[in-house]
């Protein structure tokens, strides 16, 4: 599938599997990837936040993108998350390009002293290291203002933005001031997708695809068809899952996904600190009820 078209679908954010010793164990992703591709997920992202990007060393992140590109084997585009200190970001860029990633998703720098023009310099440095591989910006904070967003989107090689702030009206204004070739993707998963679609976004990111990719694809298809009522009904069905992931200041985000995978018999290990692991008894019981109610486990 062509990358621009794929961005209008579901961008699945893969977990990072760990073995019993805590080492990365990419082959545990095989059933996750196979099911997501079969369900119609358009893009798979490695080293995203649901992949515990900030809990991985740079060498682990490089190994993950190498492994995921091999496991996907060209069936759908692979997007590789890039970030951290600029030398690490450039090293990971080189590793991701060499692995065959179809695009690079640049995590917004979490440094407390971020200048908008400094972020532009950061993106340009990654662009120079990436060569012809396209870039997708991952914006979790829109506090830099519309001028900064417009400048970032105007950097050569940037083709898309994953918008991950709960401000749809700011998103609407950002779309208006950015170049027309940018694809704006809802970056707050299924629950925010209708609001973002209403102001011009297309597609959305999803951690649910690790567990229930068919449902994510159904939501996307409803939104693409303009059937917002059906999309909202489908979202309501999976709201409990997202509520579990949002607990503990979002610290259960990955834990909820990995606990659900374990219930499916596809154990991808623990979530690394500082994530909330394991789920507490109430969260575990609520998750199990959700899984049974929706026919994911018996």
């Amino acid at each position: 599938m062509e990358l621009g078209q794929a961005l209008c679908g579901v961008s699945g954010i893969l977990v990072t599997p760990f073995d019993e010793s805590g080492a990365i164990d990419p082959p545990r992703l095989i059933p996750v990837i196979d099911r997501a591709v079969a369900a119609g997920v358009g893009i798979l992202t490695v080293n995203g936040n649901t992949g515990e990007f900030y809990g991985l060393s740079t060498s682990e992140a490089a190994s993950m993108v190498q492994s995921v590109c091999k496991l996907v084997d060209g069936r759908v585009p692979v997007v590789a998350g890039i970030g951290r200190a600029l030398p690490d970001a450039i090293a990971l860029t080189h590793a991701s390009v060499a692995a065959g990633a179809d695009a690079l998703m640049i995590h917004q720098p979490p440094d407390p002293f971020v200048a908008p023009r400094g972020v532009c310099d950061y993106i340009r440095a990654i662009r120079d290291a990436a060569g012809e591989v396209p870039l997708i910006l991952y914006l979790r904070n829109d506090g830099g203002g519309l001028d900064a967003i417009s400048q970032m989107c105007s950097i050569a090689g940037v083709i898309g933005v994953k918008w991950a702030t709960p401000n749809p009206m700011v998103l609407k204004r950002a779309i208006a001031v950015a170049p027309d070739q940018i694809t704006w993707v809802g970056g707050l998963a299924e629950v925010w997708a209708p609001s973002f679609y209403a102001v011009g976004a297309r597609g959305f990111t999803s951690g649910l695809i690790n567990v229930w990719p068919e449902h994510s694809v159904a939501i996307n298809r409803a939104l693409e068809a303009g059937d917002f009522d059906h999309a909202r009904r489908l979202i309501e069905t999976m709201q409990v899952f997202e509520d579990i992931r949002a607990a503990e200041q979002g610290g259960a985000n990955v834990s909820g996904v990995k606990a659900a995978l374990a219930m499916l018999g596809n154990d991808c290990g623990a979530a690394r600190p500082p994530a909330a692991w394991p789920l507490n008894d109430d969260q575990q019981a609520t998750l199990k009820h959700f899984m049974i109610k929706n026919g994911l486990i018996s």
Side-chain angles (χ1 to χ4, degrees):
M1 184 183 293
E2 189 267 335
L3 183 61
Q5 179 186 356
L7 282 170
C8 297
V10 180
S11 294
I13 316 299
L14 296 167
V15 297
T16 295
F18 302 119
D19 65 17
E20 289 72 19
S21 72
I24 62 170
D25 191 4
R28 296 189 187 209
L29 277 179
I30 292 172
V32 174
I33 289 171
D34 289 349
R35 184 176 178 184
V37 171
V41 173
I43 284 177
L44 290 173
T45 298
V46 58
N47 296 330
N49 282 339
T50 303
E52 299 178 75
F53 178 68
Y54 289 101
L56 302 177
S57 68
T58 301
S59 62
E60 285 177 324
S63 294
M64 281 303 302
V65 70
Q66 291 161 2
S67 295
V68 167
C69 286
K70 289 177 182 177
L71 294 173
V72 173
D73 193 26
R75 289 175 288 172
V76 297
V78 172
V79 173
I82 304 295
R84 299 199 189 91
L86 186 57
D88 292 316
I90 290 175
L92 190 50
T93 295
H94 288 149
S96 300
V97 171
D102 297 282
L104 306 178
M105 180 186 75
I106 302 178
H107 288 267
Q108 192 168 18
D111 191 304
F113 305 115
V114 172
R117 61 191 174 101
V119 175
C120 288
D121 290 339
Y122 182 85
I123 295 166
R124 290 189 190 99
I126 292 171
R127 185 270 319 279
D128 291 344
E132 299 300 317
V133 177
L135 308 179
I136 299 164
L137 308 181
Y138 183 21
L139 297 185
R140 296 182 59 82
N141 183 338
D142 55 30
L146 295 177
D147 287 345
I149 293 171
S150 176
Q151 290 170 26
M152 286 186 271
C153 291
S154 299
I155 294 171
V158 175
I159 65 158
V161 175
K162 290 189 176 180
W163 185 269
T165 81
N167 300 314
M169 297 314 296
V170 178
L171 169 59
K172 180 180 180 181
R173 293 195 289 272
I175 292 172
V177 300
D180 291 340
Q181 74 271 15
I182 301 296
T183 300
W184 296 82
V185 178
L188 289 176
E190 289 84 353
V191 293
W192 277 91
S195 298
F196 291 160
Y197 257 77
V199 297
R202 299 285 303 279
F204 54 82
T205 59
S206 173
L208 180 68
I209 65 95
N210 292 278
V211 177
W212 197 9
E214 299 84 0
H215 201 70
S216 297
V217 171
I219 292 169
N220 177 253
R221 288 174 177 165
L223 290 170
E224 285 292 302
D227 192 344
F228 279 61
D229 287 341
H230 184 47
R232 281 190 287 266
R233 287 193 295 271
L234 292 171
I235 291 167
E236 182 62 29
T237 301
M238 48 82 65
Q239 182 70 52
V240 170
F241 183 72
E242 292 301 313
D243 290 345
I244 291 169
R245 296 179 68 201
E248 302 188 61
Q249 300 183 91
N253 186 298
V254 179
S255 305
V257 177
K258 286 192 165 180
L261 282 168
M263 291 180 186
L264 288 170
N266 183 200
D267 187 1
C268 284
R272 282 181 175 173
W277 182 266
L279 296 181
N280 64 37
D281 290 345
D282 287 344
Q283 292 166 338
Q284 191 79 6
T286 301
L287 178 61
K288 184 175 182 180
H289 177 74
F290 165 81
M291 301 285 282
I292 292 171
K293 180 179 179 181
N294 291 290
L296 295 168
I297 61 174
S298 57

